[in-house]
């Protein structure tokens, strides 16, 4: 491997964009993507909050726009750091290697990761609405609207309520029904 974590006794902040870029995914999206990738995943770091981080080749993920996904890379005027645990830390609950770093699991193919994350985004949140939406909680526009509630109007889904990523967890007990899930629910008689 061209890179391995430095020997340390604790998590060490390392600069993204030097050996690899990192793709950060919230736990709900990340878990679905990890399952979809299966053995095709590279090494994955999981922090104590459940957030997952994949290592990818530098510059291969910079234009991605998915909800609850961030790209950690070196920017022209800013350095981004990732907390990297020692290679021996392979169990939680603290930050650890969810998929241990090895010759067979180092960098994840960015295209395969994007496909898995995009599918996880659609499965978790439904189709991305066109344009910016207002967060119901803070009333500010968001480019990452997460549906948190949907009103039924007959056989179609009516008004959808959105929240920005920081406020979406406030609505975790209420689950939005996408057009597909609303149709499936009606078809199955579960209304």
């Amino acid at each position: 491997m061209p890179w391995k974590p430095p020997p340390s006794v604790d998590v060490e902040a390392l600069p993204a964009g030097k050996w690899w870029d990192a793709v950060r995914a919230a736990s709900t999206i990340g878990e679905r993507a990890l399952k979809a990738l299966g053995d095709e995943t590279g090494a994955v770091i999981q922090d104590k909050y459940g957030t997952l981080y994949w290592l990818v080749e530098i510059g291969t993920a910079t234009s991605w726009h998915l909800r609850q996904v961030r790209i950690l890379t070196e920017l022209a005027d800013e350095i981004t750091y990732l907390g990297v645990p020692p290679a021996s830390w392979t169990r939680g609950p603290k930050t650890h290697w969810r998929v241990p770093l090895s010759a067979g699991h180092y960098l994840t193919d960015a295209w395969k990761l994007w496909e898995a994350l995009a599918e996880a985004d659609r499965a978790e949140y439904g189709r991305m609405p066109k344009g910016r939406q207002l967060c119901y909680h803070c009333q500010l526009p968001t480019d990452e609207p997460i549906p948190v509630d949907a009103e039924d109007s007959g056989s179609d889904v009516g008004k959808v309520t959105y929240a920005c990523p920081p406020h979406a967890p406030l609505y975790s007990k209420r689950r939005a029904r996408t057009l597909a899930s609303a149709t499936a629910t009606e078809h199955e008689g579960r209304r």
Side-chain angles (χ1 to χ4, degrees):
M1 289 185 299
W3 173 85
K4 62 181 180 175
S8 63
V9 294
D10 203 354
V11 174
E12 187 170 337
L14 296 178
K18 184 172 182 178
W19 301 283
W20 34 255
D21 284 346
V23 176
R24 175 190 185 275
S27 61
T28 53
I29 300 299
E31 290 295 334
R32 283 180 183 266
L34 187 59
K35 185 176 179 181
L37 284 167
D39 289 337
E40 294 186 349
T41 189
V44 179
I45 296 171
Q46 181 173 345
D47 69 19
K48 63 183 180 180
Y49 304 106
T51 304
L52 299 177
Y53 300 83
W54 281 265
L55 306 180
V56 296
E57 188 176 329
I58 295 170
T60 58
T62 55
S63 64
W64 294 6
H65 297 286
L66 296 168
R67 292 172 282 193
Q68 301 286 307
V69 174
R70 297 284 177 275
I71 310 306
L72 307 179
T73 188
E74 183 178 32
L75 303 174
D77 58 349
E78 180 179 305
I79 297 174
T80 306
Y81 291 88
L82 174 63
V84 177
S88 61
W89 289 14
T90 57
R91 297 203 172 164
K94 59 188 173 188
T95 300
H96 64 282
W97 290 96
R98 172 73 178 270
V99 177
L101 183 68
S102 67
H105 290 118
Y106 175 46
L107 298 179
T108 300
D109 178 278
W111 176 247
K112 290 177 183 175
L113 178 58
W114 183 87
E115 287 180 325
L117 289 168
E119 180 56 36
D121 177 283
R122 282 189 298 276
E124 190 67 26
Y125 303 125
R127 294 179 55 100
M128 177 72 110
K130 300 250 189 251
R132 299 175 90 189
Q133 301 294 319
L134 286 180
C135 171
Y136 182 77
H137 186 79
C138 66
Q139 292 299 303
L140 294 174
T142 178
D143 290 325
E144 294 183 72
I146 297 174
V148 293
D149 197 12
E151 294 176 9
D152 287 332
S153 61
S155 62
D156 296 326
V157 172
K159 179 183 174 202
V160 177
T161 303
Y162 295 99
C164 60
H167 292 126
L170 299 174
Y171 300 91
S172 63
K173 291 180 176 57
R174 294 165 51 183
R175 187 90 183 147
R177 291 180 7 178
T178 64
L179 289 173
S181 66
T183 303
T185 298
E186 182 178 319
H187 175 71
E188 295 166 3
R190 295 183 282 151
R191 211 155 219 265

